[in-house]
Amino acid sequence: MKVVSIRDWLEAPDRVVAWQGQQQHWLSEMRQQVMALVETVQRLPGQHWALCFDNSYHFTAALLALWHAGKTPVIPGHCRAAQLEEMAEQLDGVISDMPLAVSLPQLRWDGALALGELPAIAEDAELVLFTSGSTGTPRRVVKSLRALDLEAQWLAALWADRLQQCHVIASVSHQHLYGLTFRIVLPMALSLPLAAQQIFYGEQLADQRRDRRYAFISSPAFLRRLDPVLDAPSCALIVSAGGALPWADAQHAQRAFECAVDEIYGSTETGVMGWRCALEENAPWHCFPQVKLVQQEAGWRVFSALLETTEGWPLDDRIVQQPSGVFQLAGRQDRVVKIEDKRVSLSEIERRLLALPGVEDAAALAIQRHGRQAIGVVLALPDTLDAATLTQRKKQWKIALQPWLEPVAMPRYWRVVNAIPVTAQSKRAWPQIEELFDVAG
């Protein structure tokens, strides 16, 4: 399949680029809307404009308009007014298709049309994303159009045959790099129609037209929640990223869609690094071309043509690599905290908790109370326990952990839930996890 550069998207032959329900959006319509927005944005001061959109078609047009206008798009990863205000020093304004109570200059999407010749996109055009990282502090990440185009080429080379004639649907947000790359950049680059609305529920998935074949961009969290009686549409490709997809969930998804799940390993900072098809348990990961994983004294480092530096990027994951180059992920590098001047590995605590009978998932963190730190843990259990049973179970858990954990590493605060909070990208939602400990207990 021919891969079109972002700079040339709007010069391609007219076609349907997106749909929402029965409404179809054509490339010629998008071009006129981009032109109108370019004329507006060029009259406004400031370089960095945040994009906060519900509709992916509107988002794509605004993204292109900023580039064609010589501005820098900023994708904050969320559309919450309070956090946009916290980022105010790094933004000159917000473009949105939803009401936002922010003091920043705000430009609302109105779908206006205009004719004219679009300014060329600059050779050094880029966009800025913000990711929470492992600390919870937003990290600024800059991506060049060169890297976005190259990533689309790699994915097209991997899945070109399967993507032929596909409509692209997604359960992940375009406000993160995974959704941006897979549900916006890739379909536009391959001239495939994309769904303007995100899928949130299995019922929305079941409502898709049956006379189309789909590429479904999803996450482990969504695939895990699939209703076993769901009448899933025909999918030529299912992609999952953002976290580990358990083998049982991969099998469940394959039965529902009659299509094996392809998993992507990557991050906001690095872009895609590896892929695998979940046809067997513990299937090996393969590096994309021009990606190299190197073990160094401080851990693993990735060197990739998608990076804007030749110095590589440090990884938070432990990797087991075979001589052939395929690899397995062996968990995150140990997260270490100091409790009473002793180093305590939160990763080790989580590993021991996951070995307890009936524990489906576990998260450990340091809790500050009355000027002292102690370990708090959240356990996901399949069944709800009454107070008496929970008290008894805690005693059993502590006894089971004693051979493995030092006294300072023994959890002091316990919370039990049905599922540990995760973000839309299936990563730990640490702010929500911390809120579970706001009430003493």
Side-chain angles (χ1 to χ4, degrees), residues 8 60 149 160 202 212 252 302 315 401 406-407:
D8 302 324
T60 306
D149 277 342
R212 296 171 174 168
H252 173 46
V302 60
L315 299 179
L401 292 171
E406 290 188 78

Side-chain angles (χ1 to χ4, degrees), residues 279-393:
L279 287 170
E280 60 180 351
E281 189 170 8
N282 297 319
W285 292 90
H286 303 262
C287 281
F288 278 94
Q290 302 180 62
V291 172
K292 187 177 182 181
L293 301 178
V294 177
Q295 188 172 19
Q296 300 179 338
E297 186 175 341
W300 286 84
R301 200 171 190 89
V302 60
F303 295 85
S304 169
L306 298 180
L307 293 171
E308 308 302 329
T309 173
T310 58
E311 297 178 359
W313 187 264
L315 299 179
D316 293 327
D317 298 298
R318 299 197 311 275
I319 290 171
V320 178
Q321 193 171 50
Q322 303 298 322
S324 62
V326 300
F327 62 97
Q328 295 284 356
L329 298 176
R332 306 286 282 182
Q333 298 279 15
D334 281 354
R335 293 151 40 235
V336 176
V337 296
K338 281 278 190 80
I339 305 290
E340 297 181 8
D341 294 327
K342 288 195 173 182
R343 291 167 58 86
V344 175
S345 168
L346 298 177
S347 298
E348 174 66 13
I349 294 172
E350 290 173 351
R351 282 194 289 272
R352 298 305 177 187
L353 291 168
L354 287 170
L356 298 173
V359 174
E360 294 185 337
D361 201 359
L365 65 165
I367 301 295
Q368 186 87 14
R369 290 266 176 87
H370 311 299
R372 299 181 62 184
Q373 273 196 325
I375 298 299
V377 296
V378 182
L379 303 184
L381 304 182
D383 302 311
T384 302
L385 305 179
D386 58 46
T389 304
L390 181 57
T391 299
Q392 180 63 30
R393 195 68 63 85

Side-chain angles (χ1 to χ4, degrees), residues 238-254:
I238 305 169
V239 185
S240 176
L245 179 66
W247 171 236
D249 296 330
Q251 291 177 298
H252 173 46
Q254 181 171 352

